Every structure is written in C-alpha cells, then in structure tokens.
Amino acid sequence: MFGAFRPTQTNLVGLLWKTPWKLSRTRKANVRARLKQVDSVIEAVRASGVQCKALDQALELPKEHEMPPRDKYTVFSRHTKGYRKGIHKVPKWTRLTLRTNPKGF
Amino acid sequence: MFSATLRSRAASSASLQSRSLATAAAPSSSSSGEPLTHYRITLRRSAIALPMNIKGTLAALGIHRRLQTVFHRHTPDIAGKILTIKELVTVENVPESAVRTKWEQRQERKASRGYEVAGSKLGAEP
C-alpha cells in the first residue's frame, strides 16, 4: 500500500497532470495581492496627473475591493456548464487582465 | 517631544494599514515640497511567453531584466506603456532629484570600501 511502487494513478497511467477544480485559500490570497498590486500601479499613474486613453480604460476596471469573489476567482467560459470556470485554467492568468466578464454571466 | 512621538506612531500605524497601497500613497508623503515629475518603474514579473507587444513595450521602456529599475518623465506615452504592462511592474512617482542612471544605481548598491583616500604623495613637491 505504501512505498515507491504503490499503484497510484500517476504510476499506472503515465503522464497525468491534475489541475484542481478550484483555487486553494492561499492561491486566492495571492490573487488578491496581485490585484491590489495592479491597482496601486493604476493609482500611481492616475496620481501623476497625465491624461490618456489607456488611463481612462484602466480606471474603468473595477478595483480589487469592488470586485465580487466570483469575478476574482472564476472567468466566463461558454463551454463550461454554468458558464464559469476557475480563473487558474486560463493560460498566463497571473499576468493578464481578467477583471470583467460578460454581463449576466 | 511627546506629541511628536505620538504623531509618528499614528503615522506608522496609518502606513501599516495602507501597506498594500504603499506605492500609491508614497508620492504625496515622500516628497519634500518638490514636484513629482518622474515614474520609477521596476519590473517584478518576467514577460517570458507573453505576446510580442508586451515584450516590445518593455524594451521601449528600456527594461531588459527582472528587478531592473528605470525612470521616465510623466508623459502620456509613458503612462500608456506602463498601463500596457501593469501586471508586471511596480510604479512610484518620484521627484527629479530621485532620478538615477544605471551607473548611479550601481554606485549606490556598492558596499563601502572601508577606507577613504585622503591624498597622494605622488607628483607632490619633494
């Protein structure tokens, strides 16, 4: 039952990577920290006093404290049942802007 | 004296509360009356495997490696570039006097040599 040669799923079927269905508490805390970090960048640019289209668009994004948990940890997916999947299923998700979702979903 | 300690304590507790937004809160407090004219941009996250426009934006800002810091003036084009890569960098507004070139940043990082050259007898009158 124990030991290096125990019959686990990983040993029996070869390549088997499992992505958890939802984020752990720690990963969610890291998500929030990253969102706040991005908020601070936008705030710094706003405080500098320049005006540009990119800034207007960035200011329209919801801030971390304004976002519902649903938007922080999941994204819209048209293929998934319930139209939502974990945000960690999106490639490069920690370095992308994924704050808004289609209205009603 | 006592009130001064109290005030500093209150200030420190306020800074503790807003620690996550320290970069945002810093510009108003850190300046000593000097106008904030520059962005201090530090690359925190690598752009490996991100689209070419993101990598090109980093190159356009003069950033070539992680944790590199560059300074740029407050202009709309620089602001747009920062917002393109907002997930990768930390940004702070600093006055003109805080701007450092790459060489100056390197000199500030260096450890002191432990001695100072007071003078030289070479080339002096015998």
Side-chain angles (χ1 to χ4, degrees), chain B:
Chain B
M1 178 62 199
F2 182 60
S3 65
T5 9
L6 268 186
R7 211 174 298 139
S8 69
R9 241 181 233 168
S12 67
S13 69
S15 70
L16 270 180
Q17 278 179 349
S18 63
R19 172 164 289 176
S20 58
L21 293 172
T23 41
S28 55
S29 59
S30 69
S31 67
S32 55
E34 231 179 325
L36 304 173
T37 56
H38 285 70
Y39 297 113
R40 179 166 70 202
I41 312 163
T42 306
L43 185 66
R44 295 279 163 186
R45 307 283 315 271
S46 154
I48 288 175
L50 287 182
M52 284 312 288
N53 62 340
I54 304 272
K55 291 185 183 181
T57 305
L58 286 180
L61 285 171
I63 303 175
H64 299 286
R65 52 178 66 81
R66 251 193 78 216
L67 303 182
Q68 184 184 353
T69 303
V70 295
F71 294 86
H72 283 288
R73 277 198 176 279
H74 286 171
T75 53
D77 58 326
I78 295 295
K81 288 190 178 92
I82 290 172
L83 291 169
T84 307
I85 53 165
K86 58 185 178 299
E87 273 85 10
L88 311 180
V89 292
T90 54
V91 177
E92 203 174 326
N93 295 315
V94 293
E96 178 100 50
S97 59
V99 176
R100 301 280 182 274
T101 63
K102 185 181 169 188
W103 185 80
E104 286 165 349
Q105 288 179 42
R106 194 175 181 138
Q107 294 303 310
E108 286 183 358
R109 272 202 302 275
K110 272 189 172 177
S112 80
R113 311 191 78 167
Y115 63 87
E116 270 181 44
V117 179
S120 172
K121 288 193 172 173
L122 285 174
E125 294 291 320

Side-chain angles (χ1 to χ4, degrees), chain A residues 31-39 64 67 72 99:
Chain A
V31 170
R32 292 192 296 275
R34 278 194 296 270
L35 287 172
K36 280 180 190 154
Q37 184 58 53
V38 176
D39 282 345
E64 190 271 337
M67 291 171 69
K72 284 183 207 172
R99 294 202 182 204

Side-chain angles (χ1 to χ4, degrees), chain A residues 51-105:
Chain A
Q51 289 182 335
C52 60
K53 188 182 160 193
L55 181 59
D56 296 339
Q57 287 172 344
L59 288 174
E60 277 181 16
L61 292 173
K63 291 200 170 61
E64 190 271 337
H65 62 89
E66 296 165 357
M67 291 171 69
R70 209 170 124 79
D71 277 351
K72 284 183 207 172
Y73 314 125
T74 63
V75 285
F76 171 76
S77 157
R78 61 176 175 164
H79 301 296
T80 318
K81 203 174 161 187
Y83 299 103
R84 282 277 172 168
K85 67 177 181 182
I87 198 168
H88 58 297
K89 310 261 183 175
V90 181
K92 320 281 180 249
W93 65 286
T94 61
R95 294 178 283 163
L96 299 177
T97 309
L98 302 166
R99 294 202 182 204
T100 49
N101 287 286
K103 213 175 176 183
F105 289 95

